[in-house]
Amino acid sequence: MTLQDLAFFAVLAFGLYFLMIRPQRARARALAETRAGLAVGSRVMTTAGIHATVVEVAEDKDSVVLELAPGVPVRFASAAVVRILEPAEPPAVEE
């Protein structure tokens, strides 16, 4: 094995790390922070694209109860929550 072969494999490993492994770790860290920030009353979006309101968070943060519509609570795994949505601004009341 020559020095060029070793340099090629080193560049290949370096490229794989920066193109695949590092971004995946950053996404995983961001999702973990999102799930840690779940609180009752938060508007969230699930992996299926369902928008709902958090009604209950389990003590171990393993599952959440989301209210899909008024009076329709559904239990989801907290891993299904991908985004906490910003609360919508109430419409301006014109006098």
Side-chain angles (χ1 to χ4, degrees), residues 31-57:
L31 278 174
E33 290 173 5
T34 298
R35 291 180 185 127
L38 289 175
V40 175
S42 299
R43 295 279 303 157
V44 297
M45 185 175 82
T46 67
T47 55
I50 299 171
H51 293 241
T53 305
V54 177
V55 177
E56 176 187 328
V57 179

Side-chain angles (χ1 to χ4, degrees), residues 16-74:
L16 283 175
Y17 175 77
F18 277 99
L19 293 176
M20 296 176 68
I21 297 169
R22 191 169 179 224
Q24 180 61 32
R25 284 185 181 171
R27 280 191 294 271
R29 190 177 320 119
L31 278 174
E33 290 173 5
T34 298
R35 291 180 185 127
L38 289 175
V40 175
S42 299
R43 295 279 303 157
V44 297
M45 185 175 82
T46 67
T47 55
I50 299 171
H51 293 241
T53 305
V54 177
V55 177
E56 176 187 328
V57 179
E59 286 184 26
D60 58 359
K61 298 226 177 202
D62 223 15
S63 65
V64 293
V65 176
L66 302 178
E67 188 173 47
L68 306 180
V72 184
V74 179

